[in-house]
Amino acid sequence: MSAKESNSGSCSQPSPPGDLPRLYAVTDEKVLPNTRLAPVIESVLDAGVRFLQLRFKQTPFMERLDLGFKIRKLTRRYGALLVVNDSPELCREISADGVHLGADDACIDEAKRVLGHSAIIGVSVYGAIEEMRRLGKGDVSYTGLLSPYPSTTKEKASIDLPIFKELVRESRVPVYGIGGITPDKVAELMDAGCYGVAVISAIFGALDPRQAAMEFLQALRKFD
């Protein structure tokens, strides 16, 4: 049973980087306080989430490290992939599966030097078609592309759906749409060519994160 097929809390091995799950759940301290992080993450893992990003922007490093070890233990229990935002060093310390890099983070070559070439490396792309064309499978595992929808957690310029589709078509690696995505928008993004969707508020800001995760998984199931 692959990671993206599993919907239970049974122990299993995570998918290899070449077989990334389509739902990518991303945490944020402003949406989900660190005091609730571990139990809420466990609930969405139990719902079937098998790809998770720990996204810290304001948390001190030692607190990130402590939380990181706890979440790494949970993701191993559920056979889920864990990616750390911004920091190859934190990724290495907690033995996460990879790192997600933004425009101002460590460069791709530096991340590979710290983590090795087998690590998952994702990058954010902000609408530059030249960047989409440049990045190949030898460079990164996936890209995160800002969606055409308003976001409650990310400051971003709006991008029209036709332009979004063109950017996705130009990518040589899997593309995850991110920002303002709800289950009813999944089909539109997948039909635009996305490999999957990355979700912050609609899962971790929901009244019932477990149920929200299940709704996304259901919406994505037809695209497997």
Side-chain angles (χ1 to χ4, degrees):
M1 179 168 59
S2 70
K4 61 188 175 188
E5 291 170 337
S6 175
N7 285 309
S8 70
S10 61
C11 293
S12 60
Q13 293 303 310
S15 301
D19 185 27
L20 296 172
R22 295 194 187 276
L23 178 59
Y24 190 7
V26 182
T27 69
D28 186 287
E29 309 112 310
K30 292 184 294 185
V31 175
L32 177 66
N34 289 339
T35 53
R36 298 180 54 225
L37 188 65
V40 172
I41 284 178
E42 184 167 15
S43 74
V44 302
L45 291 173
D46 188 62
V49 169
R50 294 295 177 263
F51 194 17
L52 177 75
Q53 181 188 138
L54 278 181
R55 184 174 182 266
F56 294 119
K57 292 295 184 180
Q58 301 170 341
T59 302
F61 183 80
M62 293 308 295
E63 186 178 350
R64 297 183 189 198
L65 193 62
D66 180 59
L67 289 167
F69 281 124
K70 292 177 181 177
I71 303 309
R72 172 77 284 194
K73 185 179 295 185
L74 284 173
T75 55
R76 281 187 170 142
R77 183 189 307 166
Y78 284 88
L81 295 167
L82 177 64
V83 167
V84 173
N85 185 260
D86 295 352
S87 175
E89 291 74 22
L90 178 60
C91 174
R92 180 181 59 189
E93 288 295 321
I94 67 172
S95 299
D97 297 290
V99 66
H100 183 88
L101 305 173
D104 301 321
D105 301 328
C107 71
I108 294 169
D109 289 343
E110 174 64 12
K112 289 181 178 179
R113 185 192 67 78
V114 173
L115 302 175
H117 288 267
S118 63
I120 296 171
I121 296 180
V123 295
S124 294
V125 178
Y126 302 98
I129 198 164
E130 297 82 5
E131 190 173 8
M132 297 296 280
R133 290 169 175 164
R134 176 178 60 83
L135 294 168
K137 291 184 178 179
D139 303 308
V140 298
S141 308
Y142 70 88
T143 60
L145 177 61
L146 295 175
S147 80
Y149 315 122
S151 172
T152 59
T153 57
K154 286 180 170 289
E155 295 181 7
K156 64 173 193 166
S158 60
I159 178 172
D160 292 334
L161 184 60
I163 296 174
F164 180 87
K165 290 180 178 180
E166 182 180 2
L167 288 165
V168 173
R169 283 197 301 267
E170 294 294 332
S171 180
R172 297 188 291 150
V173 298
V175 175
Y176 287 86
I178 184 169
I181 300 172
T182 50
D184 61 296
K185 295 182 172 74
V186 165
E188 186 172 51
L189 290 183
M190 298 300 286
D191 289 341
C194 284
Y195 176 82
V197 296
V199 182
I200 302 176
S201 296
I203 289 179
F204 292 111
L207 291 175
D208 187 342
R210 187 181 191 280
Q211 178 62 33
M214 291 175 67
E215 290 175 8
F216 274 101
L217 290 165
Q218 180 63 35
L220 285 161
R221 195 159 288 129
K222 67 179 71 173
F223 299 99
D224 284 334

